[in-house]
Amino acid sequence: MAPYASYVIAGYLITAATLGGYTLGLFARARAARRRAEAIAQRRHAR
Amino acid sequence: MAATAERALGKATSRNGERILGVLAAVALGGSLVLSLVVAPPDAVQGEVQRLMYIHVPAAWLAYLSFAVVFVGSIGYLRTRKTRWDRIAGASAEIGVMFTALAIALGALWGKPVWGTWWTWDPRLTTTAVLLLIYIGYLSIRRISDNPSRTARWCAVVGIVGFVDVPIVHLSVVWWRSLHQGPTVLRLGGPEIEGTMLLALLVGVAAFTLVYAYLMTLRLRVGRLEERAAREALSPVVEPPVEAGV
């Protein structure tokens, strides 16, 4: 293994985790906001 | 001009536009990975560890771009008072903070084997840390939401004043004696970098730019959905009319 290859691997893994994690986080936030809006609207209609 | 830009933004932020941008960003990231890890030769002095530059430099440049969009969005908000500009500035600041933190982390990983330290109070590193703190502060202000228009106004001011640090970060290696290397691409006299390495770097920048565009469309959709949820929660309940005799 080339010297310092572990630093390069760590760098690319950190980048993948950051970009992937942020993207998944945005999907989760979008889903949660949609559910919250729908739940509030549904409760209103139920009254 | 503004109408054309608005139409283009509308197309990009549609669900179809979002999906197309996502696919393009993934393909570009794949191409960048192959170029930077397989095609580009190792550096004559630094060896393999120099490959970190193909992600460190694009992350730093995209941080600059993100904060430039915050700057433009902030001016747009102060001039027009349209919440759309504030939403764009807020979304871009969040993504910019992520890219700045990533650039600092990757720089530390590169610094340990090359400089012998993870961190040093070098002008470039210090001004970048200040940049990160400015925009973390900006995002903190956005959470003070007792009065949305006042929050947007404060954020616009911070978004404009905070951008002053971007050219300072970029020129810090020219203005002060720095451990960090000087500009190798954006310099007078042209880039001083080998052809394949330059190609890998430019493809990396293009890929990160597509990632930024994709994240912006996604983050703007999240913003719209969160605002809708807040509107639903705050809108007055319409009581059914009371029937006579009840």
Side-chain angles (χ1 to χ4, degrees):
Chain A
M1 199 160 153
Y4 302 123
S6 56
Y7 287 87
V8 179
I9 294 166
Y12 278 82
L13 286 179
I14 286 171
T15 305
T18 307
L19 297 181
Y22 183 66
T23 308
L24 292 178
L26 285 180
F27 276 119
R29 273 167 71 180
R31 211 168 30 243
R34 195 183 307 113
R35 278 192 193 145
R36 202 165 50 244
E38 281 168 4
I40 295 166
Q42 221 165 29
R43 244 179 284 147
R44 291 242 163 113
H45 284 296
R47 278 189 190 183
Chain B
M1 180 77 179
T4 315
E6 213 156 285
R7 260 200 308 276
L9 188 68
K11 268 186 192 169
T13 53
S14 70
R15 291 305 293 273
N16 251 351
E18 190 183 303
R19 279 192 204 105
I20 292 168
L21 269 176
V23 171
L24 285 177
V27 170
L29 276 179
S32 161
L33 200 67
V34 172
L35 271 173
S36 54
L37 292 181
V38 182
V39 179
D43 186 76
V45 180
Q46 295 174 20
E48 298 292 339
V49 79
Q50 185 270 343
R51 293 185 193 280
L52 283 170
M53 287 304 106
Y54 302 123
I55 41 177
H56 168 73
V57 176
W61 283 2
L62 263 293
Y64 293 170
L65 175 74
S66 306
F67 298 140
V69 171
V70 177
F71 179 71
V72 172
S74 301
I75 291 174
Y77 177 77
L78 288 182
R79 283 185 62 152
T80 64
R81 302 283 163 167
K82 283 187 178 168
T83 48
R84 172 180 291 185
W85 287 111
D86 175 58
R87 219 183 284 140
I88 289 172
S92 196
E94 197 176 289
I95 299 167
V97 163
M98 180 200 65
F99 277 125
T100 310
L102 186 61
I104 290 175
L106 294 171
L109 266 175
W110 175 84
K112 182 63 181 164
V114 177
W115 292 345
T117 181
W118 299 103
W119 178 265
T120 175
W121 295 102
D122 165 271
R124 169 61 69 84
L125 275 66
T126 308
T127 50
T128 308
V130 170
L131 188 70
L132 181 65
L133 290 176
I134 288 171
Y135 285 93
I136 286 176
Y138 174 95
L139 293 178
S140 309
I141 296 171
R142 293 195 76 82
R143 295 195 176 257
I144 307 168
S145 59
D146 59 330
N147 180 340
S149 68
R150 191 170 54 197
T151 303
R153 209 167 52 241
W154 285 357
C155 283
V157 172
V158 176
I160 292 167
V161 176
F163 187 70
V164 170
D165 194 35
V166 170
I168 295 176
V169 172
H170 188 69
L171 294 170
S172 58
V173 289
V174 179
W175 289 344
W176 298 294
R177 195 163 48 187
S178 176
L179 194 57
H180 195 283
Q181 73 181 69
T184 44
V185 180
L186 296 177
R187 62 189 284 280
L188 293 171
E192 53 168 20
I193 178 172
E194 192 265 340
T196 325
M197 289 173 152
L198 180 63
L199 177 71
L201 186 60
L202 294 180
V203 171
V205 171
F208 272 51
T209 307
L210 283 168
V211 170
Y212 168 77
Y214 173 63
L215 291 177
M216 271 299 276
T217 60
L218 205 55
R219 178 61 186 75
L220 286 171
R221 180 158 66 89
V222 169
R224 282 195 303 272
L225 286 167
E226 284 175 346
E227 276 172 24
R228 192 183 117 200
R231 251 197 332 269
E232 289 279 0
L234 291 174
S235 64
V237 179
V238 179
E239 295 289 348
V242 180
E243 283 175 35
V246 178

